[in-house]
Amino acid sequence: MLHLRRFAQPSTLALAVMLGLHGSAWAQEPPADTEPTSIEAQDPARKAPLPLDELRTFVEVLDRIKAAYVEPVDDKTLLENAIKGMLSNLDPHSAYLEPEAFADLQESTSGEFGGLGIEVGIEDGFIKVVSPIDDTPASKAGIEAGDLIVKIDGKPTKGMSMMDAVNLMRGKPGTDISLSLVREGGKPFDVKLTRAVIKVNSVKSQMLEPGYGYLRVTQFQMNTGEEVGKALAALRKNNGNKLNGLVLDLRNNPGGVLQAAVEVSDHFLTKGLIVYTKGRIANSELRFNADPADASEGVPLVVLINGGSASASEIVAGALQDQKRGVVMGTDSFGKGSVQTVLPLNNDRALKLTTALYFTPNGRSIQAQGIEPDIEVARAKLTREQAAEGIREADLAGHLGNGNGGPDRPSSTQIVSDSERPQDDDFQLGQALNLLKGLNLTRGQ
């Protein structure tokens, strides 16, 4: 999940900065009622003297590479690689963003960018699909959460950084790319995709049945909270200003902007804590509470999650679960419970740095554990039985008519198409709808 902040440009700290082993004091623009505080003041550990032996080792390695590497390497390249190494060895989500990658990140949070539509992470040195985004080349090609990308255009990904993999997968719309995937320990298989401009509509809604609405959030962008509010109002309007139940679908939602997750949760809550974060510096200690307004008007709620539900999705599911506002159904979520802050640098570069862990209202950390659903429902594929397997009296030639003059009903009249109803082909969604109907019956008693 991203926490977007504006920071002042860093100052230079002579040799320490050149070697990439120490940072400057980046001051966040403070709230009106607080005094500016440097990171050094917040964390006394930063005042410790620089490790001179390690600095000497770094300089020696730098000198050996320049003198002995098979091809000439300039200082700029070596120092940039050193910075990348510092970030990549912290955790899978921290990264050094060069200008193109920084621009890509800003585009993705605004809702339009170029590529395949895959949210990825790293597992055992391979690039792992966290979630394909709806209506993108990745989702249309059948790529699933949990797939391992072992090759990109024939290039092995083992040991490749996440940013390098993303850069390979992004490219000019209309160009082709081949991915080699491994699914659930099976044999590798290739998928050919065509890059496209990814325009993500983060919120989709429709009526499942009269009285029962469906609201899907595909990822959390800066305007997602507002879009959810509009979708709730539209669903009520289309059903006589009242809903009997609502399914909030967060499956395969890879997360996004922290504030958007808070706003979406607040649409369903009227009081209490939504989420809080803890980190080493004061600026990372945040608490978000619900306001009294209730855009959902207390409608019975089922929240769908799965292994592709990560980060901001888990904030929403965890808050609604802890506040007992809805029933969480599906399978265990991904388990990304950390907050990344984007820290702009000079020369159009930035750090995406993990600065905090987030906790649900009851104090649960989701990191590496995930949200466990209240009702576990695994994904299943539904197949309809063929209606032609039975023959009725009305199908027989020369059959007698109905004694009361009623119309004949041959078996062919029993074939009814419900293909437009998404719950008929989605077992988890169908179970969520059934649960809502049961909850509604209970309320009416």
Side-chain angles (χ1 to χ4, degrees):
M1 152 191 22
L2 292 178
H3 189 198
L4 304 179
R5 296 178 179 170
R6 290 185 295 154
F7 283 75
Q9 294 293 343
S11 60
T12 302
L13 293 178
L15 177 64
V17 167
M18 184 186 74
L19 296 179
L21 292 173
H22 198 59
S24 59
W26 297 326
Q28 183 191 7
E29 294 182 358
D33 58 348
T34 62
E35 295 295 326
T37 306
S38 71
I39 293 179
E40 280 89 343
Q42 296 175 30
D43 186 2
R46 289 176 51 87
K47 296 182 179 179
L50 291 172
L52 295 181
D53 288 342
E54 284 73 16
L55 283 171
R56 293 189 186 97
T57 301
F58 182 91
V59 173
E60 184 178 359
V61 170
L62 188 73
D63 184 63
R64 296 288 177 91
I65 293 174
K66 289 179 62 178
Y69 187 63
V70 65
E71 296 178 353
V73 186
D74 58 73
D75 289 339
K76 178 182 177 182
T77 300
L78 289 173
L79 290 172
E80 292 240 324
N81 288 342
I83 295 171
K84 293 177 184 178
M86 276 195 292
L87 273 296
S88 65
N89 283 286
L90 293 176
D91 64 82
H93 307 292
S94 295
Y96 174 62
L97 305 179
E98 295 179 285
E100 184 177 355
F102 188 23
D104 288 343
L105 178 63
Q106 292 171 308
E107 288 176 358
S108 66
T109 57
S110 67
E112 181 174 333
F113 55 97
L116 303 177
I118 310 176
E119 181 81 9
V120 297
I122 292 181
E123 182 175 288
D124 298 329
F126 287 105
I127 304 301
K128 182 177 182 179
V129 176
V130 173
S131 176
I133 300 172
D134 286 0
D135 302 323
T136 63
S139 65
K140 293 174 182 177
I143 293 177
E144 298 181 1
D147 288 349
L148 293 180
I149 303 174
V150 295
K151 290 184 181 179
I152 302 174
D153 274 340
K155 185 175 182 178
T157 62
K158 179 69 173 178
M160 184 182 294
S161 75
M162 188 165 62
M163 293 309 302
D164 287 342
V166 169
N167 288 336
L168 283 177
M169 288 187 283
R170 291 198 170 187
K172 186 177 179 181
T175 58
D176 292 334
I177 183 173
S178 177
L179 302 182
S180 296
L181 307 171
V182 173
R183 181 171 298 163
E184 296 178 351
K187 295 182 179 180
F189 61 96
D190 294 334
V191 176
K192 187 175 182 180
L193 306 96
T194 300
R195 296 181 179 94
V197 175
I198 308 299
K199 296 181 179 180
V200 179
N201 296 319
S202 66
V203 178
K204 302 176 182 180
S205 62
Q206 68 181 89
M207 296 302 298
L208 298 174
E209 289 184 3
Y212 296 94
Y214 173 76
L215 184 61
R216 171 156 177 74
V217 181
T218 59
Q219 69 179 98
F220 289 87
Q221 301 165 0
M222 286 180 281
N223 61 344
T224 298
E226 180 182 355
E227 291 182 14
V228 167
K230 292 178 179 178
L232 286 169
L235 286 171
R236 284 197 306 272
K237 182 179 179 180
N238 293 336
N239 197 68
N241 293 321
K242 184 180 180 181
L243 292 173
N244 296 325
L246 179 73
V247 177
L248 176 61
D249 190 352
L250 301 178
R251 292 173 299 175
N252 295 326
N253 181 322
V257 180
L258 170 63
Q259 186 62 37
V262 172
E263 291 173 3
V264 170
S265 301
D266 198 11
H267 283 314
F268 298 94
L269 298 171
T270 58
K271 62 180 181 179
L273 190 61
I274 294 174
V275 66
Y276 65 95
T277 63
K278 286 184 178 181
R280 291 175 57 204
I281 60 177
N283 287 334
S284 63
E285 301 281 337
L286 302 171
R287 296 177 71 87
F288 298 91
N289 291 279
D291 63 41
D294 183 7
S296 68
E297 296 187 350
V299 61
L301 181 68
V302 173
V303 183
L304 285 177
I305 62 170
N306 65 3
S309 305
S311 193
S313 320
E314 296 171 292
I315 283 182
V316 176
L320 298 178
Q321 187 179 55
D322 281 6
Q323 296 271 27
K324 301 189 184 305
R325 174 60 184 85
V327 178
V328 178
M329 176 183 285
T331 55
D332 290 356
S333 62
F334 183 76
K336 181 181 179 292
S338 59
V339 180
Q340 282 68 50
T341 301
V342 178
L343 311 176
L345 306 173
N346 53 17
N347 299 324
D348 296 322
R349 288 162 167 77
L351 297 182
K352 182 161 71 80
L353 190 66
T354 298
T355 54
L357 296 176
Y358 73 78
F359 297 81
T360 70
N362 288 349
R364 292 183 293 162
S365 172
I366 308 306
Q367 179 60 27
Q369 291 188 0
I371 295 289
E372 184 177 340
D374 299 311
I375 301 176
E376 183 173 352
V377 178
R379 189 180 66 170
K381 187 175 181 63
L382 298 181
T383 57
R384 291 190 179 89
E385 295 181 355
Q386 296 297 321
E389 62 189 19
I391 297 177
R392 303 180 62 180
E393 170 73 13
D395 296 313
L396 301 178
H399 66 272
L400 297 175
N402 182 266
N404 292 326
D408 294 346
R409 293 195 302 171
S411 59
S412 58
T413 63
Q414 302 303 303
I415 302 177
V416 179
S417 175
D418 291 325
S419 59
E420 297 302 316
R421 305 194 315 168
Q423 65 269 27
D424 290 336
D425 295 316
D426 186 333
F427 180 68
Q428 291 172 320
L429 180 54
Q431 293 302 303
L433 179 58
N434 289 337
L435 177 59
L436 282 173
K437 291 178 179 179
L439 292 174
N440 198 45
L441 288 173
T442 303
R443 291 176 73 200
Q445 290 178 355

